[in-house]
Amino acid sequence: MQSFTYQCPTKILFGPRAEDKVAEELKTYGAKSILLVYGGESAKRSGLLPKIERQLTEAGLTFQVIGGVKPNPRLSLIREGVRTAISAHSDFILAIGGGSVIDTAKAIAHGAANPDTDVWDFWTGRKPLVKSTPIGSVLTLSAAGSETSDSAVITDEETHRKLGLNTPFNRPALAFMNPELTYTVPKKQLVAGACDILMHTLERYFTSIKAQNLLTDRVAESLIKTVMESVKVAIKDQQDYDAMSEIMWAGSVSHTNFTELGRKKDFSCHKLGHELSAMFDSTHGETLTAVWPSWARYVYQDDISRFAHFAKAVFGLEGGGEKELAEKGIAAMTDFFRSVEMPVTIPELLGRALTPEELEKLADLGTAGDTKKLGDFHPLGKKEALDIYTLANK
Ligand code: NZQ
Ligand code: ZN
């Protein structure tokens, strides 16, 4: 096993009525002025937002509210949230929603703590982030893992750039995780979320590190199997508490870096997917399954044994040579995505094939004009990114 550093400081309250502890926990944390961030109408419709507001009022805590976060969260609303947080002297930002709301809360937290810097500068790398405001979330959708992750992904809607920022300041202090709050998630988001969780694990499983890493491997394999099993149950009955709990917990475990310990993450499919979301506003999880099968077929010969091992450990496949087994494993993963009605090509994602010019633009933007490589297992320059987009475009 390789050396690693692991720190996941989020206090997690998991289970039915976890959200009833919001005011108590915020008080213990010392928060006095809270900014609540939410998305479209779902948090109001379910009664969750008014419930939290009531709790805060009864506990004598001051709060402001900003709503309207859209999927693939936009910079303009973040800037508005920063202004609100600064004028209200918010000392804690609480997200009520899924990954987009939590990432918006993270960005507002950074902007509010650094009033002299435009928040986008932290994402472009123009300014280093050295302080922020504490954040937490009441999670309503199991997917991005932002409730515990060190990452936040936001979109500048004017330039169509979708960028991620990894920093310890993105690690939330608190996460309230009640699986029952995810019963109302639309089926498409439930499945896309589960596939995002799978991808957070797959993108750490195929790695350039060859050292033995049994425990991390087996956690990853078990997580993948558990999510595949649970999402099949959840599709039939979204109020199955056990299935929804497994998916919710897997979402956090898959993106705390826990399934990466002792190795290196790849995340090239995420980078390829972010360009599709930035250009076409596509659902994050769907962009990932649209490119993964093509990525896997393009790179698997770099480490056939690893892909063959995956086929055995995750799908119980046997027989044939290693190459055949590796290919069967890729086909089995692709079949799973299909079986839950996720797109496995770009035309399935967008309803049409892209033009050569559009493919070129995606590859160019993703690799910053061929100046940066994507991923680690098989680092992708512009040519390789274009090859994979082209394969996925069939
Ligand atoms: O806006 P509302 O009305 O709340 O509806 C949302 C939204 O339309 C709905 N929803 C959420 N909870 C619901 C619900 N509807 C009914 N009942 C509920 N309980 O779901 C829709 C999608 O929400 P969104 O937050 O966009 O989904 P998700 O959690 O998949 O987040 C996706 C975003 O996270 C980023 C993605 O790129 C994307 O922008 N990611 C963030 C990461 C991170 N911070 O660590 C890592 C990921 O790889 C990912 O990149
Ligand atoms: Zn993701």
Side-chain angles (χ1 to χ4, degrees), residues 110 114 117-119 121-132 165 167 169:
H110 305 338
N114 299 277
T117 306
D118 177 36
V119 68
D121 286 349
F122 298 126
W123 268 260
T124 58
R126 267 197 290 276
K127 292 276 172 61
L129 181 69
V130 292
K131 60 178 175 187
S132 189
L165 171 71
T167 159
F169 294 108

Side-chain angles (χ1 to χ4, degrees), residues 88-116:
H89 303 288
S90 305
D91 58 8
F92 198 100
I93 317 292
L94 184 72
I96 301 174
S100 296
V101 176
I102 303 174
D103 288 358
T104 297
K106 289 178 178 182
I108 292 173
H110 305 338
N114 299 277
D116 298 329

Side-chain angles (χ1 to χ4, degrees), residues 69-75 78 99-101 103-104 153-156:
V69 175
K70 294 196 175 112
N72 296 317
R74 317 294 204 262
L75 185 57
I78 288 165
S100 296
V101 176
D103 288 358
T104 297
V153 190
I154 62 173
T155 298
D156 178 352

